[in-house]
């Protein structure tokens, strides 16, 4: 059965029509609302590429039914930076060489944003623990840890 429901994403209320309440938040963000920042890599909650905030808590958007997000506030990687500029965390990833294919990067940026909100000066173990749910197949994580330290320093 299709439904019409409302989703608040990055401060903008969207009316989602002809949708099934059980489709994933990730699908709705990417395919219905044109927000491709959150990536679809595993669709099983294993990789963290689809990480977004739901009511201030990072979640795997592939595991959240869109209907569950109705009435809540979603914030995606597109909502972290101002229009036309990079967030300091994104800039730090570029500067530190922490982006190769980039598929994991949006989810990591959201996860790092959450980490630094909670812990502005994380240790290496803090960083590795906080990012344990975000898999990167390219960088070997050293550059990612360096990027987090760079962002924290700023
Ligand atoms: S696509 Fe959601 S955790 Fe991998
Ligand atoms: S940069 Fe390719 S998966 Fe992380």
């Amino acid at each position: 059965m299709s439904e019409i429901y409302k989703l608040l994403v990055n401060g903008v209320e969207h009316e989602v029509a002809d949708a099934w309440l059980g489709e994933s938040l990730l699908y709705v963000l990417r395919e219905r609302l044109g927000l491709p920042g959150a990536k679809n890599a595993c669709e099983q909650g294993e990789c963290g590429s689809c990480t977004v905030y739901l009511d201030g808590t990072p979640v795997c958007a592939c595991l959240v039914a869109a209907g569950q997000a109705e009435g809540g506030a979603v914030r995606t990687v597109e909502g972290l930076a101002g229009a036309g500029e990079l967030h300091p965390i994104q800039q730090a990833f570029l500067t530190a060489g922490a982006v190769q294919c980039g598929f994991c990067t949006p989810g990591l940026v959201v996860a790092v944003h959450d980490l630094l909100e909670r812990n502005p000066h994380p240790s290496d173990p803090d960083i590795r623990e906080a990012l344990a749910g975000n898999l990167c197949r390219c960088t070997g994580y050293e550059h990612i840890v360096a990027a987090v330290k760079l962002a924290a320093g700023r």
Side-chain angles (χ1 to χ4, degrees):
M1 188 175 76
S2 66
E3 305 267 356
I4 297 178
Y5 58 95
K6 292 178 180 167
L7 272 187
L8 184 64
V9 182
N10 300 331
V12 177
E13 189 165 83
H14 297 267
E15 201 163 82
V16 184
D18 298 326
W20 173 50
L21 279 173
E23 57 191 26
S24 74
L25 176 59
L26 180 61
Y27 181 86
V28 170
L29 291 172
R30 291 179 56 84
E31 307 300 334
R32 297 193 184 279
L33 302 185
L35 291 167
K39 297 289 180 277
N40 183 355
C42 73
E43 231 173 347
Q44 295 182 0
E46 300 285 347
C47 74
S49 298
C50 63
T51 304
V52 300
Y53 282 112
L54 177 57
D55 291 332
T57 300
V59 297
C60 292
C62 69
L63 294 184
V64 176
Q68 287 178 283
E70 188 175 26
V74 178
R75 192 176 182 195
T76 70
V77 69
E78 289 95 338
L80 295 186
E85 59 188 37
L86 294 178
H87 188 280
I89 296 171
Q90 293 170 311
Q91 189 61 58
F93 268 65
L94 283 180
T95 304
V99 180
Q100 288 187 28
C101 81
F103 213 77
C104 67
T105 308
L108 274 163
V109 167
V110 175
V112 171
H113 186 273
D114 176 64
L115 168 64
L116 296 181
E117 290 278 302
R118 292 182 287 107
N119 179 359
H121 301 290
S123 65
D124 280 27
D126 292 337
I127 295 169
R128 290 182 183 275
E129 183 181 346
L131 303 184
N134 291 79
L135 304 184
C136 176
R137 293 164 181 82
C138 304
T139 68
Y141 297 97
E142 291 301 325
H143 293 292
I144 291 171
V145 172
V148 177
K149 290 179 175 172
L150 192 57
R154 289 174 178 169

